[in-house]
Amino acid sequence: MSIQGITEQDIANYLANTPGFFERHAELLAAVQLTSPHGQRAVSLQERQMEMLREKNKGLELRIIEMIRHGTENVSIADKLHRWTRAIMLTHNPGDLPDVLVAELKHQFMIPQSAIRIWGAADVFNVLPFAKAVSEDARSFAASLSQPYCGVNSGFEAAQWLADVSTVMSLALIPLRVRQDDPAFGMLVLASPDPTRYSADMGTEFLSRIGDIASAGLSRLLPIA
């Protein structure tokens, strides 16, 4: 039989579409010698197939371990979010809400520094720290955010609300609004000395959830319409 003009792909297609070939020629499984990827020794086709299956199984095991790790991390985050939300809901005095919110947020999520400012709160709260004056520029910036800002500290006014601004390398600025289309009535600041903790390319979905819960709780401070 002439093999002139037959390509490796032709042979591969023939073997793939002729499953009985190795049943009729079982001796080839042991006779064909391949180079092992784990050294220069020659192995049979059967041994090479077993090595490939072991490598595939190892890859699947690593993927399963990674999925379990991510699942464990998600459960841990959900538990922290639950405890933080519960602390907000159990705060009876509205004037205590900003302090409780910030303290629990720092505790549950290991945030080095955090601060909050609210403008437009009811007059009875005007003497409290969270109601200190905020410039019109800061209010406009908060209103312009459709999602949290994450990145380096570029001299934002909100960074000055923190206890030690000199150590802040990255921060997240989360606008507070009752509804998505409403103007912002405040802003929450999360800060870290780690320049990579709040990076410009990180996802903001979780921070948006933080903002939604915080806004819902803090809406009790606003004047009754």
Side-chain angles (χ1 to χ4, degrees):
M1 176 181 176
S2 173
I3 62 172
Q4 185 176 3
I6 298 178
T7 66
E8 290 185 353
Q9 187 61 49
D10 293 331
I11 298 172
N13 290 337
Y14 173 78
L15 293 175
N17 291 286
T18 314
F21 177 84
F22 284 108
E23 294 178 4
R24 296 190 297 272
H25 303 278
E27 71 281 359
L28 289 176
L29 294 174
V32 174
Q33 297 292 301
L34 304 173
T35 302
S36 171
H38 304 296
Q40 296 303 313
R41 67 185 183 90
V43 296
S44 68
L45 187 60
Q46 291 171 310
E47 289 179 283
R48 181 68 184 99
Q49 186 176 29
M50 289 300 297
E51 288 179 349
M52 292 175 65
L53 288 174
R54 281 194 291 268
E55 291 172 0
K56 183 177 180 180
N57 286 339
K58 184 177 180 180
L60 291 174
E61 288 174 1
L62 291 175
R63 289 181 61 187
I64 291 172
I65 292 172
E66 188 72 6
M67 289 172 63
I68 292 173
R69 184 179 68 82
H70 283 305
T72 302
E73 289 177 352
N74 289 338
V75 170
S76 176
I77 291 173
D79 286 343
K80 293 175 182 178
L81 187 63
H82 171 79
R83 290 192 291 268
W84 178 65
T85 304
R86 187 172 184 273
I88 294 173
M89 295 178 69
L90 288 175
T91 302
H92 299 292
N93 182 4
D96 294 335
L97 275 170
D99 288 342
V100 171
L101 186 150
V102 168
E104 284 295 318
L105 197 61
K106 291 167 62 178
H107 172 66
Q108 297 295 340
F109 295 99
M110 303 295 290
I111 298 171
Q113 293 194 76
S114 181
I116 195 168
R117 285 289 186 276
I118 297 172
W119 45 90
D123 292 342
V124 68
F125 303 116
N126 284 345
V127 297
L128 297 179
F130 64 80
K132 289 181 179 179
V134 175
S135 74
E136 190 59 39
D137 286 344
R139 297 188 186 196
S140 297
F141 176 73
S144 71
L145 293 175
S146 59
Q147 60 185 15
Y149 165 87
C150 296
V152 297
N153 177 20
S154 302
F156 292 103
E157 177 183 328
Q160 303 300 321
W161 306 342
L162 300 165
D164 185 6
V165 66
S166 63
T167 63
V168 176
M169 297 299 293
S170 66
L171 46 74
L173 304 175
I174 305 174
L176 304 174
R177 48 173 58 92
V178 178
R179 287 173 291 272
Q180 186 65 35
D181 296 332
D182 288 353
F185 67 82
M187 188 154 63
L188 175 64
V189 185
L190 313 178
S192 172
D194 180 357
T196 64
R197 175 145 190 192
Y198 303 110
S199 60
D201 59 350
M202 71 181 291
T204 59
E205 182 177 350
F206 180 72
L207 292 177
S208 294
R209 300 293 178 106
I210 291 287
D212 288 343
I213 295 172
S215 298
L218 295 169
S219 65
R220 294 165 59 191
L221 301 174
L222 302 178
I224 298 175

